Amino acid sequence: MNYEHFIYIADLLGVAVFATAGALAAQGKRLDILGVVVLAIVTSIGGGTIRDITLDIHPVVWIADTTYLWVAIISAVVAFVVCRYMQYPRRLLLVLDAMGLALFTVLGAEKAMALGFSPVIAVMMGVITGCAGGMIRDILTGQIPLILQRDGELYATCSIVGAVFYVAFYDVLGEQFLALVGMAIVFVVRLATIFANLKLPEFIVAGHTLEDMDKGQNQ
Amino acid sequence: MNYEHFIYIADLLGVAVFATAGALAAQGKRLDILGVVVLAIVTSIGGGTIRDITLDIHPVVWIADTTYLWVAIISAVVAFVVCRYMQYPRRLLLVLDAMGLALFTVLGAEKAMALGFSPVIAVMMGVITGCAGGMIRDILTGQIPLILQRDGELYATCSIVGAVFYVAFYDVLGEQFLALVGMAIVFVVRLATIFANLKLPEFIVAGHTLEDMDKGQNQ
Amino acid sequence: MNYEHFIYIADLLGVAVFATAGALAAQGKRLDILGVVVLAIVTSIGGGTIRDITLDIHPVVWIADTTYLWVAIISAVVAFVVCRYMQYPRRLLLVLDAMGLALFTVLGAEKAMALGFSPVIAVMMGVITGCAGGMIRDILTGQIPLILQRDGELYATCSIVGAVFYVAFYDVLGEQFLALVGMAIVFVVRLATIFANLKLPEFIVAGHTLEDMDKGQNQ
């Protein structure tokens, strides 16, 4: 498997994972199957679309290759059907979201670096590609964006850490190895964050004393 | 009236209808007249703007022809003034929204097909053009997006059904007749949905047993 | 200092001011420093990005010149650190927001006029550039957009008034003088609005009798 194939498959996997997460997020929202498909598509291609439009890459990835759309549609339909007959643990949504975040962060940064943009732009594109889809999903489903929820505290941080790592070692490590390590970093840090949030509430409180300051000052 | 004229007038009518719906949605939000105009503009040209940018069609429709902006501005001002002196039934907002959805769904799909994009892209563009403006409006006015409200259950579905019909019969039916039938389908299905939601609550409950599954599992 | 320098510095000042406002808005949201940086970047470059993409100006301003990103990052970090050790009055956020609104409204209109777009497009671009970043910030932090809050009643209005003034006198006044007066108008009107909202509640009530009409009709 050469590098182009690797990137392509990782990209489709990211779409499948985010589309499934999008479909799961639709639960209890009174959406029918087509509504779920729309939500899944927006979640899975939203980030890449914003990246391509901002970088003036046309046609946008899923317009150039409709495989992306079909993967999103099929993933959403499968998730919708499976959810009706099986129970799934709530945490599955978070794990899928973490996988999508990991894949898309690195793929977003990779695309910008490959096109010769500067490192800081590449990091931005990694964060946009990784985080935007999930944010749009959360906004459309009327939830507090995952980025701001308790267990989402370090959401953008995980993405930035992975993107910075990827960019920093871009010319040093082999491209495929680098991409895999970058993805692993985002995924592991993200899962660790979710776990840490459940176990270390004191850390959060200590880190946000400014919150109380603000309250005392203004109310 | 030739086909280009028909499309142009339908497009402007969609802008007028969505701008009016946007202005009505501003009620009770403490917006002054210029705020209402901004909201009306965003609602009425938001979907088409996202479509054009995604398809890399420049200049964007309302930049190429400012008639769109003026129609939106005038509709909003008229709606604002009329609302001060007349009562209007709440359902008017839903009917106008359904009309805009019908017009823009077909026009979005039409534009993509006319430019030679694949059918699945055309359906996506129909849904984006039809739904995006209303979603932005609902997000900006801090409401649960209509797409997720009780009477909005099949919102995206109506749009998809119409767009799929339009694309499926694109080379079969006369273009103007096809467009009119497509619009009628979206409009009628959407109104039927609103009506059905009021009359058939059992259908909804039965269709979402997964909701309870989820609850039992995770809380 | 020639005009290009003036515009460039005003643009960077707008980024710094909006980034700081974005960082302050993150208070009490459980975001760590990198989350705050992301929020500050989105707030400060969001409006200009939408403007450039809509007008098909590529590369987008902060991609062409990464100084914008660095100014946003440094402003956010400074705001984050300072907030930990100092109390700041809540109103500072509103004043910074008003400054950013003033700078970006005029700069957005200026860019469109300089590129030869029609006056109504230039006003739209002023409003988009001025208002979009703050709206995205408010949506992402799960707040009612400032544009719809009590003291944000005339938010879009301030922007429109300044943009219309700028466009109306574009060929009449000296460009730098015109820009400064336009910015001053937005800033002063915005601050007056905040002040007026605290002092003149009756004005608001009187201006929104339609609200009660609506209630009587529909509930």
Side-chain angles (χ1 to χ4, degrees):
Chain A
M1 187 169 69
N2 65 17
Y3 187 58
E4 273 84 51
H5 273 89
F6 167 75
I7 290 294
Y8 186 60
I9 288 167
D11 218 0
L12 290 180
L13 184 63
V15 169
V17 159
F18 259 152
T20 307
L24 297 184
Q27 281 219 352
K29 299 284 171 187
R30 297 184 170 282
L31 284 172
D32 63 2
I33 191 162
L34 291 178
V36 167
V37 167
V38 169
L39 194 63
I41 290 177
V42 170
T43 302
S44 58
I45 65 172
T49 305
I50 296 176
R51 176 199 60 204
D52 287 358
I53 289 173
T54 308
L55 293 179
D56 198 26
I57 302 170
H58 288 284
V60 166
V61 64
W62 52 271
I63 291 178
D65 178 3
T66 54
T67 309
Y68 288 86
L69 284 181
W70 291 113
V71 167
I73 291 168
I74 292 166
S75 305
V77 171
V78 169
F80 186 83
V81 172
V82 168
C83 280
R84 301 205 144 230
Y85 299 103
M86 285 177 56
Q87 298 189 330
Y88 75 94
R90 186 81 185 163
R91 208 159 288 186
L92 180 59
L93 173 56
L94 293 175
V95 172
L96 289 174
D97 193 71
M99 273 187 69
L101 182 69
L103 288 162
F104 278 168
T105 295
V106 169
L107 292 168
E110 194 273 339
K111 192 159 189 179
M113 289 303 280
L115 289 165
F117 288 99
S118 73
V120 67
I121 302 289
V123 170
M124 273 292 290
M125 290 302 146
V127 175
I128 287 173
T129 314
C131 299
M135 278 187 183
I136 298 171
R137 175 196 63 208
D138 291 344
I139 291 168
L140 288 183
T141 55
Q143 291 186 312
I144 302 168
L146 205 55
I147 202 173
L148 294 169
Q149 280 175 21
R150 203 194 186 88
D151 44 19
E153 176 162 355
L154 302 173
Y155 196 86
T157 302
C158 305
S159 183
I160 292 178
V161 167
V164 168
F165 170 84
Y166 182 84
V167 167
F169 290 92
Y170 189 70
D171 290 323
V172 183
L173 299 175
E175 49 190 8
Q176 196 160 330
F177 177 72
L178 175 61
L180 283 170
V181 174
M183 289 167 187
I185 288 175
V186 179
F187 187 65
V188 168
V189 172
R190 176 73 185 127
L191 289 189
T193 304
I194 298 172
F195 180 75
N197 260 296
L198 296 175
K199 297 291 167 195
L200 297 169
E202 294 80 12
F203 168 74
I204 301 165
V205 174
H208 286 269
T209 48
L210 60 166
E211 200 173 343
D212 301 286
M213 243 190 241
D214 193 29
K215 258 177 213 149
Q217 177 75 3
N218 303 308
Q219 263 83 62
Chain B
M1 185 170 69
N2 64 17
Y3 189 57
E4 272 85 52
H5 273 89
F6 167 75
I7 291 294
Y8 186 61
I9 288 168
D11 218 1
L12 290 180
L13 184 63
V15 168
V17 158
F18 259 152
T20 306
L24 297 185
Q27 281 218 352
K29 299 286 172 186
R30 297 185 171 283
L31 283 172
D32 63 2
I33 193 162
L34 291 178
V36 167
V37 166
V38 169
L39 194 64
I41 289 176
V42 170
T43 302
S44 58
I45 65 172
T49 305
I50 295 176
R51 177 198 60 203
D52 286 358
I53 289 173
T54 307
L55 294 179
D56 198 26
I57 302 170
H58 288 284
V60 167
V61 63
W62 51 272
I63 290 177
D65 178 2
T66 55
T67 308
Y68 289 86
L69 285 180
W70 291 113
V71 167
I73 291 168
I74 292 166
S75 304
V77 170
V78 169
F80 186 84
V81 171
V82 168
C83 280
R84 301 205 142 230
Y85 299 103
M86 284 177 59
Q87 299 190 328
Y88 75 94
R90 187 79 186 165
R91 207 160 289 187
L92 180 59
L93 173 57
L94 293 174
V95 172
L96 289 173
D97 194 70
M99 273 186 68
L101 183 69
L103 289 161
F104 278 169
T105 295
V106 170
L107 292 168
E110 194 273 340
K111 192 160 189 179
M113 290 303 279
L115 290 165
F117 288 99
S118 73
V120 67
I121 302 289
V123 171
M124 274 292 290
M125 288 304 146
V127 175
I128 287 174
T129 313
C131 299
M135 278 188 182
I136 298 172
R137 175 196 64 207
D138 291 343
I139 291 168
L140 288 183
T141 54
Q143 291 186 312
I144 302 168
L146 205 55
I147 202 171
L148 294 169
Q149 282 176 21
R150 203 195 184 89
D151 45 20
E153 176 162 352
L154 302 173
Y155 196 86
T157 303
C158 305
S159 184
I160 292 178
V161 167
V164 168
F165 170 85
Y166 182 85
V167 167
F169 290 92
Y170 189 69
D171 291 323
V172 183
L173 298 175
E175 50 190 7
Q176 194 162 330
F177 177 72
L178 175 61
L180 283 171
V181 175
M183 289 167 187
I185 288 174
V186 179
F187 187 66
V188 168
V189 174
R190 176 74 184 125
L191 288 189
T193 305
I194 297 171
F195 180 76
N197 260 295
L198 296 175
K199 297 291 167 195
L200 297 170
E202 294 80 11
F203 168 74
I204 301 165
V205 174
H208 286 270
T209 50
L210 60 165
E211 199 174 342
D212 300 286
M213 243 191 240
D214 192 30
K215 259 178 215 150
Q217 176 74 2
N218 303 309
Q219 261 83 60
Chain C
M1 185 170 70
N2 64 18
Y3 188 58
E4 273 84 51
H5 273 90
F6 166 75
I7 291 293
Y8 186 61
I9 287 168
D11 217 1
L12 290 181
L13 184 63
V15 168
V17 158
F18 259 151
T20 306
L24 296 185
Q27 281 219 352
K29 300 284 172 187
R30 297 185 170 281
L31 284 171
D32 63 2
I33 192 162
L34 290 178
V36 167
V37 166
V38 168
L39 194 64
I41 289 176
V42 170
T43 302
S44 58
I45 67 172
T49 305
I50 296 176
R51 177 198 60 202
D52 286 359
I53 289 174
T54 307
L55 293 179
D56 198 26
I57 302 170
H58 288 283
V60 167
V61 64
W62 51 273
I63 291 178
D65 178 2
T66 55
T67 309
Y68 289 86
L69 284 181
W70 291 114
V71 167
I73 293 168
I74 291 166
S75 304
V77 171
V78 169
F80 186 84
V81 171
V82 168
C83 280
R84 301 206 143 229
Y85 300 103
M86 283 176 57
Q87 300 190 327
Y88 75 93
R90 186 81 186 163
R91 207 159 288 187
L92 179 60
L93 172 56
L94 293 174
V95 172
L96 288 173
D97 194 71
M99 272 187 70
L101 182 69
L103 288 162
F104 279 169
T105 295
V106 169
L107 292 168
E110 193 274 339
K111 193 160 188 177
M113 289 302 280
L115 289 164
F117 288 99
S118 73
V120 66
I121 303 289
V123 171
M124 274 292 290
M125 289 303 145
V127 175
I128 288 174
T129 314
C131 299
M135 278 187 182
I136 298 171
R137 175 196 65 207
D138 291 342
I139 291 168
L140 288 183
T141 55
Q143 291 186 312
I144 302 169
L146 204 56
I147 202 172
L148 294 168
Q149 281 176 22
R150 202 194 187 88
D151 44 20
E153 176 162 353
L154 301 173
Y155 196 86
T157 302
C158 304
S159 184
I160 292 179
V161 167
V164 167
F165 170 84
Y166 181 85
V167 167
F169 290 92
Y170 189 68
D171 290 324
V172 183
L173 299 175
E175 49 190 8
Q176 195 161 331
F177 177 71
L178 174 62
L180 283 171
V181 174
M183 290 167 186
I185 288 174
V186 179
F187 187 66
V188 168
V189 173
R190 175 75 185 126
L191 288 190
T193 305
I194 298 172
F195 180 75
N197 260 294
L198 297 175
K199 297 291 167 195
L200 297 169
E202 294 80 10
F203 167 75
I204 301 166
V205 174
H208 286 270
T209 49
L210 61 165
E211 201 173 341
D212 300 287
M213 240 191 243
D214 192 31
K215 259 178 213 151
Q217 175 75 4
N218 303 308
Q219 260 83 63

